[in-house]
Amino acid sequence: MQEVALKVQNDRRSTLGLWWYKFSKNYLSVIGLVIVLFIVFCAVFAPLVSPYPEHAGPFVNYGEANQPPSLKHLCGTDIFGRDVLSRIFFAFRSSLLMGVVVLAIVVPVGVTLGLLAGYFKESWIDVLIMRITDIFLSVPPLILALAITSVLEPNLTNAMIAVSVMWWPWYTRLVYGMATSLRNEYFVQSAELLGASKLHILFREILPNCLSTILTKMTLDMGWVILIGAALSFVGLGEQPPKPALGTMVADGAKYLPEYWWMAVFPGLAIMLIVLGFNLLGDGIGDLFAMEEA
């Protein structure tokens, strides 16, 4: 038994090593991974890596207000004398939380509905699910999110709810197309002939064949969910002051352009860095799965 366990462990290591070799051949994907790891590190250890962690709260120091970038404040200070770089590191926390929570909600919901509609194609289940999905997809996502958050109390929780309401149809539509084609494959028909339950067919036969596409989309969507969250914060419907949020920092800094440009430019660059990192990483994961299937 011990020899079998060691063999399985070695096989897993060799598989992971092969995956990493294929992934690392795409230098842009490695850059995306490094960016994502850097952002996650800064968010998790923000109190330790931030030059002035106390500036993430209700801190005021008018003696150092509106300071340009320098060795003391690498990204300058805002109108209240707070270090912009420190607030960006703490803002990474709310941005990543937005992405993780939204995807944790929408992926199970959207994937389950897509599996049901695709497997029971041309039934009332298919018609009901996909017509509701089409209604949500017919409304521009940001407009729908703004409409929802405008009637709720502006905070991070309600912003996550609004983005979740607008995001699940994309996964339903994606999985619906794959489940529709997979339902006629031989392995699904064999499971049906053997008397497998509908749940077994959906989640043990069809879903595993959709995972690579779902995981790739999740990685790509992480950046776009954070971007939507920043847009909501930009108009005052996301995380509320004094807690830092990248969108709020850009909106506040834009009032003082071009004289105090650093207040808006550096938070804007942080948003761009997040989206770029997850997009490059998602492309790399997609290429890796494509090579595995080839």
Side-chain angles (χ1 to χ4, degrees), residues 94-123:
S94 60
S95 297
L96 292 177
L97 181 62
M98 163 76 78
V100 170
V101 171
V102 168
L103 291 179
I105 294 173
V106 304
V107 172
V109 173
V111 168
T112 301
L113 293 176
L115 288 173
L116 290 171
Y119 183 68
F120 297 103
K121 186 174 176 58
E122 298 180 356
S123 68

Side-chain angles (χ1 to χ4, degrees), residues 6 35 37 40 51 74 146 185 201 206 250 270 280 283 286:
L6 288 174
I35 292 173
L37 291 177
V40 172
L74 295 179
L146 288 172
E185 294 292 334
I201 294 173
I206 298 178
V250 173
L280 293 178
D283 288 340

Side-chain angles (χ1 to χ4, degrees), residues 184-196:
N184 296 319
E185 294 292 334
Y186 289 124
F187 63 89
V188 174
Q189 295 177 0
S190 298
E192 292 173 342
L193 291 174
L194 291 172

Side-chain angles (χ1 to χ4, degrees), residues 18-19 21-26 284-294:
L18 180 60
W19 284 354
Y21 172 74
K22 293 179 179 180
F23 181 84
S24 61
K25 291 178 67 176
N26 188 335
I285 293 176
D287 292 341
L288 177 61
F289 284 130
M291 286 188 289
E292 287 292 316
E293 294 173 358

Side-chain angles (χ1 to χ4, degrees), residues 120-279:
F120 297 103
K121 186 174 176 58
E122 298 180 356
S123 68
W124 67 268
I125 297 177
D126 171 25
V127 174
L128 177 63
I129 293 176
M130 295 316 297
R131 294 300 76 76
I132 295 175
T133 301
D134 291 340
I135 291 173
F136 277 90
L137 291 176
S138 65
V139 182
L142 184 57
I143 300 300
L144 180 60
L146 288 172
I148 295 172
T149 51
S150 63
V151 299
L152 301 174
E153 180 183 357
N155 55 46
L156 181 61
T157 300
N158 289 335
M160 290 188 290
I161 293 173
V163 177
S164 299
V165 170
M166 55 163 276
W167 215 271
W168 66 266
W170 300 100
Y171 285 89
T172 301
R173 174 62 69 180
L174 174 69
V175 176
Y176 173 76
M178 292 187 291
T180 299
S181 61
L182 290 171
R183 66 193 287 266
N184 296 319
E185 294 292 334
Y186 289 124
F187 63 89
V188 174
Q189 295 177 0
S190 298
E192 292 173 342
L193 291 174
L194 291 172
S197 66
K198 302 299 183 184
L199 288 177
H200 176 90
I201 294 173
L202 289 174
F203 295 102
R204 297 295 297 275
E205 302 294 340
I206 298 178
L207 179 59
N209 291 278
C210 305
L211 285 180
S212 60
T213 304
I214 294 172
L215 291 175
T216 302
K217 180 170 175 55
M218 286 177 62
T219 308
L220 293 170
D221 280 356
M222 186 72 176
W224 292 110
V225 169
I226 291 173
L227 183 62
I228 294 292
L232 294 177
S233 298
F234 182 85
V235 296
L237 298 175
E239 185 76 279
Q240 297 299 300
K243 294 181 180 179
L246 295 176
T248 305
M249 294 174 68
V250 173
D252 293 340
K255 302 174 184 176
Y256 305 99
L257 288 173
E259 186 175 3
Y260 304 131
W261 55 268
W262 57 88
M263 296 184 192
V265 169
F266 287 115
L269 289 176
I271 296 173
M272 185 194 72
L273 189 66
I274 293 176
V275 177
L276 176 65
F278 280 105
N279 278 356

